[in-house]
Each structure stands twice: as C-alpha cells, then as structure tokens.
Amino acid sequence: MARTPVTVIGMGMMGRALAAAFMNAGHPTTIWNRTPGKAQALVEAGASEAPTVDAAVAAAPLVIVCVRDYGAARELLAPAEAALSGRVLVNLTSGASDEARVMADWAAERGAGYLDGAIMMTPPGIGAPETVILYGGSPSLYETHEKTLGVLGGGTTLISSDVGLPAVYDVALLGIMWATFNGFMHAAALMGTEKVAATDFLPMATDWLKGVASFLTTYAHQIDEDSYAAEDATLETQIPPVRHLIHESRIRGIDATMAEYTEQLLTEAISRGHALDSYARIIDHFRTPSA
C-alpha cells in the first residue's frame, strides 16, 4: 500500500528520530533544517533533503515540525506560508497551552489543518510500542492521519479537540517525573552518608515507589469528590516523620529544602483545620497558593 508522504522540519535529535521512524515504516520522507547537512545519515538512507523550507512544505500533505519553541516554528515556516494552504501541520514542538492555541490560529489563517502533540518519550524511544504521544485537535483530522502518526509510537492518542491540552498533560507529567527524580536524589545522598551505594538502594526505592503509587487511586477519587477522610494516615501523624527527615538531613549535611517544604504544606493545612484529613487535602495549597 502507498504510504502518505511526510515532511519533517527540524533535524535536532528528536526531529531525526521522527524522520527515521517514518522512513522505517515506508513513508516517503522529506527533511529540512535551517542548517543543511545535519541529517546526512537520513539522506543516505533514502530521505529527500529539501533545499528550502518552502520546498519541504510543498513536498508532502503532512508536515511535522519539531524545533526549539513555537516562536522558532513560526519563524522557520514563515517563508512557506503560501505552501501551507491545504496541508496538515503537526506541531511536536514543546511549549505551553496558550502557545499551542496561538499556533493553531496562525495555521488556520494560512489555510492549514493543525494538530498539536506532546511527545512523552526521549528520541531513542520514538517508534516503540510503549511510546506515548498525546494529540489535540480536530478528531476528523486526527482520524485521517492516525495510522501515519501511529508509527511514531504505539501510545499515540487524541486526548482532546483542544489543541492546548496536550501541553498541559506534558508539563503535569514532567512535574511528577522531576519530583520523583529529586526525591530519589535526596534519598541517595542521604543513604550515601552511610556508604550505601545508590545501586544497592535502588531496588528498595523502586519497590517503595510502587507502594506509594497505589495511594494515588484513593487520592484521585478524594480530589474529584472533594472529600478527604484519611484512610491511611492523617496529616497530623505525618508531621513527626517529616521532621525526622529534616533533622536527619541536617545532621548529615544534606539539603533539607524539599522536606522543609513538605512540613510547610502539612502545617499550613493543619492550621486550616484539616489535621485529620488525608494527604490529598494538600491540593488546596496548589489551587490557592497565596491563601
């Protein structure tokens, strides 16, 4: 079967991975980068390198852009505005929800269909069955190109007709990732003061995280229902162990900022009369941080 031709604009690590995935799936692939010759290996493998961005856009009905930011995307595509008409622009550039909505309007003004996506994977994972890419935009537009976009990852999903929502998922999930990384780094530093290697501590940490994750189901329901009865531990019972963590960190010369912040969240909620609530009550702080 004939495969939909695609163009990939932006030959950074992610852009090259996207182009390679399309090529591996048999899609005629045109590439373009502001600096020529950055993806010579792709050209040698059969990709067509367009001489100009205008030629790159004109080469395929589906145009993928993955560059530094939304401003750079518009700047690079500006010389090809006329060629965008009648094509579908898929923006896989990272950014914020308001930027995605502005970009969608920009594309519509130039006669292009628009999908915005958030890639929840690093370049080496592009094309893998477990790779998640979240899209926002017209359901009919997505359905037309779902099979083609699906070669980039088995978890390719349209989550909303709102082009801005994937960006919100992106930063929310990254926030969880960074918080987890920081928690592990702090724990590894703490254990390191007792000469416990990070690799020796790792199995216990990963098993612990599985248990911690099990609480999220209960907390998610409590948040949605706005009901925070403690089924595991009350906020007031969590104050002493947090203070133990702060003390242990300080006497070992380990930064205690994260633990101190947790203590602040707990004491703030307790001062509002929520001593007997579950940890899910802490969401109030993030909803009204200045209160």
Side-chain angles (χ1 to χ4, degrees):
M1 293 178 60
R3 305 287 185 179
T4 302
V6 298
T7 286
V8 180
I9 293 174
M11 287 290 106
M13 288 180 64
M14 184 61 80
R16 294 196 301 272
L18 297 173
F22 285 126
M23 293 173 63
N24 290 339
H27 292 272
T29 304
T30 299
I31 61 174
W32 183 82
N33 193 68
R34 191 199 303 263
T35 304
K38 194 171 182 180
Q40 186 59 33
L42 292 174
V43 174
E44 293 173 358
S48 298
E49 185 168 20
T52 65
V53 67
D54 187 74
V57 171
L62 191 63
V63 179
I64 315 295
V65 59
C66 184
V67 292
R68 182 183 69 251
D69 54 38
Y70 282 79
R74 288 194 298 275
E75 178 185 343
L76 291 176
L77 290 168
E81 289 185 5
L84 281 170
S85 180
R87 286 172 168 74
V88 175
L89 178 62
V90 180
N91 189 10
L92 296 179
T93 299
S94 296
S97 58
D98 57 344
E99 294 177 303
R101 292 168 185 142
V102 168
M103 189 76 178
D105 291 341
W106 182 90
E109 289 167 0
R110 287 149 183 82
Y114 185 81
L115 294 171
D116 203 277
I119 303 173
M120 309 310 300
M121 178 56 74
T122 56
I126 294 300
E130 67 274 14
T131 294
V132 173
I133 302 180
L134 305 176
Y135 286 95
S138 162
S140 61
L141 201 60
Y142 176 79
E143 183 178 354
T144 299
H145 298 285
E146 181 177 6
K147 188 173 181 180
T148 300
L149 295 173
V151 307
L152 301 179
T156 294
T157 307
L158 179 73
I159 56 172
S160 176
S161 58
D162 179 357
V163 296
L165 197 55
V168 184
Y169 271 89
D170 184 27
V171 294
L173 291 169
L174 287 173
I176 294 174
M177 180 189 76
W178 289 319
T180 304
F181 285 170
N182 289 339
F184 178 75
M185 302 308 165
H186 180 270
L190 194 61
M191 297 306 299
T193 64
E194 290 290 344
K195 309 303 181 185
V196 176
T199 49
D200 291 337
F201 177 63
L202 179 62
M204 188 170 292
T206 53
D207 284 345
W208 179 256
L209 284 173
K210 293 174 186 175
V212 170
S214 69
F215 289 106
L216 297 184
T217 299
T218 297
Y219 291 167
H221 284 292
Q222 290 184 344
I223 291 167
D224 289 346
E225 296 163 7
D226 196 28
S227 178
Y228 302 94
E231 299 176 10
D232 45 15
T234 62
L235 293 181
E236 66 179 1
T237 62
Q238 300 198 51
I239 287 287
V242 169
R243 289 176 176 165
H244 298 332
L245 175 58
I246 293 170
H247 175 73
E248 197 71 56
S249 298
R250 288 173 176 169
I251 65 173
R252 293 170 183 273
I254 300 299
D255 186 280
T257 303
M258 290 191 300
E260 291 166 347
Y261 180 58
T262 301
E263 181 190 30
Q264 174 190 329
L265 295 177
L266 291 167
T267 55
E268 177 185 277
I270 290 170
S271 71
R272 293 178 177 174
H274 302 305
L276 301 181
D277 286 353
S278 78
Y279 202 89
R281 173 62 75 174
I282 298 300
I283 194 170
D284 287 351
H285 169 88
F286 296 104
R287 285 171 169 166
T288 56
S290 60

